[in-house]
Protein backbone atom coordinates (compact mmCIF):
# COMPACT_ATOMS: atom_id res chain seq x y z
CA UNK A 1 0.00 0.00 0.00
CA UNK A 2 1.30 3.43 -0.90
CA UNK A 3 1.37 6.46 1.36
CA UNK A 4 -0.81 8.30 -1.13
CA UNK A 5 -3.57 5.70 -1.00
CA UNK A 6 -3.50 5.47 2.78
CA UNK A 7 -3.66 9.25 3.04
CA UNK A 8 -6.63 9.39 0.65
CA UNK A 9 -8.49 6.63 2.51
CA UNK A 10 -7.91 8.18 5.92
CA UNK A 11 -8.91 11.68 4.78
CA UNK A 12 -12.49 10.43 4.46
CA UNK A 13 -12.63 9.92 8.22
CA UNK A 14 -9.91 12.11 9.78
CA UNK A 15 -9.48 15.19 7.63
CA UNK A 16 -5.89 15.98 6.70
CA UNK A 17 -3.52 13.13 7.47
CA UNK A 18 0.25 12.91 7.43
CA UNK A 19 1.75 9.45 7.21
CA UNK A 20 4.87 8.82 9.25
CA UNK A 21 6.19 5.51 8.01
CA UNK A 22 4.13 3.02 6.16
CA UNK A 23 5.69 0.04 7.82
CA UNK A 24 3.42 -2.52 9.34
CA UNK A 25 4.22 -3.43 12.92
CA UNK A 26 2.14 -6.19 14.47
CA UNK A 27 -0.42 -5.71 11.68
CA UNK A 28 -0.88 -2.02 12.58
CA UNK A 29 -0.13 1.13 10.59
CA UNK A 30 0.73 4.46 12.19
CA UNK A 31 -0.30 7.86 10.91
CA UNK A 32 -0.41 11.45 12.13
CA UNK A 33 -3.79 13.17 11.90
CA UNK A 34 -4.38 16.91 11.64
CA UNK A 35 -5.17 17.31 15.34
CA UNK A 36 -1.68 16.10 16.25
CA UNK A 37 -0.39 12.94 17.81
CA UNK A 38 0.09 9.52 16.29
CA UNK A 39 -2.85 7.25 15.68
CA UNK A 40 -2.75 3.54 14.99
CA UNK A 41 -5.02 1.62 12.66
CA UNK A 42 -5.03 -2.16 12.46
CA UNK A 43 -5.26 -4.12 9.24
CA UNK A 44 -8.91 -5.12 9.77
CA UNK A 45 -10.00 -1.49 10.22
CA UNK A 46 -7.96 -0.58 7.17
CA UNK A 47 -9.64 -3.29 5.05
CA UNK A 48 -13.07 -1.96 6.07
CA UNK A 49 -11.99 1.59 5.23
CA UNK A 50 -10.73 0.41 1.83
CA UNK A 51 -14.15 -1.05 1.03
CA UNK A 52 -15.79 2.21 2.07
CA UNK A 53 -13.28 4.14 -0.06
CA UNK A 54 -14.15 1.92 -3.05
CA UNK A 55 -17.88 2.61 -2.62
CA UNK A 56 -17.24 6.36 -2.51
CA UNK A 57 -15.31 6.03 -5.77
CA UNK A 58 -18.11 4.02 -7.44
CA UNK A 59 -16.81 0.48 -7.00
CA UNK A 60 -17.68 -2.59 -4.95
CA UNK A 61 -14.98 -4.80 -3.44
CA UNK A 62 -16.08 -8.39 -2.91
CA UNK A 63 -13.41 -10.25 -0.98
CA UNK A 64 -13.02 -13.77 0.33
CA UNK A 65 -10.54 -15.75 2.32
CA UNK A 66 -9.63 -18.92 0.52
CA UNK A 67 -8.61 -20.89 3.58
CA UNK A 68 -8.98 -24.19 1.77
CA UNK A 69 -6.45 -22.90 -0.76
CA UNK A 70 -3.49 -22.53 1.60
CA UNK A 71 -4.62 -19.31 3.27
CA UNK A 72 -4.94 -17.22 0.13
CA UNK A 73 -7.30 -14.30 -0.31
CA UNK A 74 -9.08 -12.92 -3.34
CA UNK A 75 -10.86 -9.65 -4.07
CA UNK A 76 -13.13 -8.87 -7.02
CA UNK A 77 -13.80 -5.32 -8.21
CA UNK A 78 -17.20 -4.41 -9.63
CA UNK A 79 -18.69 -1.13 -10.79
CA UNK A 80 -21.22 0.09 -8.22
CA UNK A 81 -24.36 -0.32 -10.31
CA UNK A 82 -26.93 -2.99 -11.12
CA UNK A 83 -24.43 -5.03 -13.19
CA UNK A 84 -22.44 -5.84 -10.05
CA UNK A 85 -24.83 -8.72 -9.40
CA UNK A 86 -23.43 -10.61 -12.38
CA UNK A 87 -19.96 -12.22 -12.20
CA UNK A 88 -19.26 -11.61 -15.89
CA UNK A 89 -19.13 -7.88 -15.11
CA UNK A 90 -16.15 -8.17 -12.80
CA UNK A 91 -13.70 -5.41 -13.76
CA UNK A 92 -10.63 -6.90 -12.11
CA UNK A 93 -9.63 -9.49 -9.54
CA UNK A 94 -6.67 -9.67 -7.18
CA UNK A 95 -5.22 -12.55 -5.25
CA UNK A 96 -2.71 -12.41 -2.43
CA UNK A 97 -1.45 -14.27 0.61
CA UNK A 98 -4.42 -12.97 2.63
CA UNK A 99 -7.85 -11.46 2.06
CA UNK A 100 -6.67 -8.12 3.44
CA UNK A 101 -3.69 -7.97 1.10
CA UNK A 102 -6.00 -8.62 -1.86
CA UNK A 103 -8.27 -5.76 -0.69
CA UNK A 104 -5.24 -3.44 -0.50
CA UNK A 105 -4.21 -4.42 -4.04
CA UNK A 106 -7.73 -3.77 -5.32
CA UNK A 107 -7.76 -0.36 -3.60
CA UNK A 108 -4.48 0.56 -5.28
CA UNK A 109 -6.04 -0.38 -8.64
CA UNK A 110 -9.06 1.83 -7.95
CA UNK A 111 -6.82 4.78 -7.05
CA UNK A 112 -4.87 4.36 -10.30
CA UNK A 113 -8.10 4.11 -12.30
CA UNK A 114 -9.48 7.27 -10.72
CA UNK A 115 -6.15 9.11 -11.14
CA UNK A 116 -6.15 8.17 -14.84
CA UNK A 117 -9.69 9.54 -15.24
CA UNK A 118 -8.58 13.03 -14.20
Amino acid sequence: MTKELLQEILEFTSGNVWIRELESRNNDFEYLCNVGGWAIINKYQLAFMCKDYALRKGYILDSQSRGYCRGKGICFVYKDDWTSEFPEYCLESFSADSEIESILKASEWIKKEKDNDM
Side-chain angles (χ1 to χ4, degrees), residues 3-117:
K3 283 184 176 183
E4 294 78 21
L5 176 61
L6 183 59
Q7 185 167 349
E8 194 168 322
I9 288 170
L10 293 173
E11 280 180 354
F12 283 127
T13 58
S14 304
N16 291 326
V17 177
W18 298 271
I19 310 301
R20 184 164 72 172
E21 291 183 22
L22 194 58
E23 290 185 22
S24 177
R25 291 184 306 138
N26 300 325
N27 299 318
D28 294 329
F29 294 90
E30 288 187 341
Y31 65 94
L32 176 66
C33 60
N34 59 350
V35 294
W38 292 107
I40 296 177
I41 182 170
N42 72 43
K43 66 181 184 177
Y44 301 103
Q45 291 171 309
L46 184 57
F48 176 81
M49 293 169 106
C50 284
K51 288 187 174 191
D52 186 48
Y53 166 79
L55 281 173
R56 291 172 188 254
K57 295 293 186 178
Y59 296 91
I60 294 173
L61 298 184
D62 180 16
S63 63
Q64 305 171 25
S65 176
R66 299 280 176 113
Y68 59 87
C69 187
R70 288 180 246 121
K72 302 289 182 186
I74 192 161
C75 186
F76 301 97
V77 181
Y78 298 97
K79 194 72 175 147
D80 184 16
D81 60 18
W82 68 271
T83 59
S84 64
E85 297 177 19
F86 305 103
E88 61 267 21
Y89 291 102
C90 177
L91 299 173
E92 195 67 59
S93 64
F94 299 89
S95 60
D97 289 336
S98 72
E99 180 181 2
I100 291 171
E101 287 179 50
S102 67
I103 292 169
L104 297 179
K105 285 182 177 183
S107 299
E108 287 286 352
W109 182 84
I110 289 170
K111 179 168 180 8
K112 286 178 186 166
E113 286 296 301
K114 287 299 180 182
D115 287 349
N116 289 336
D117 287 346

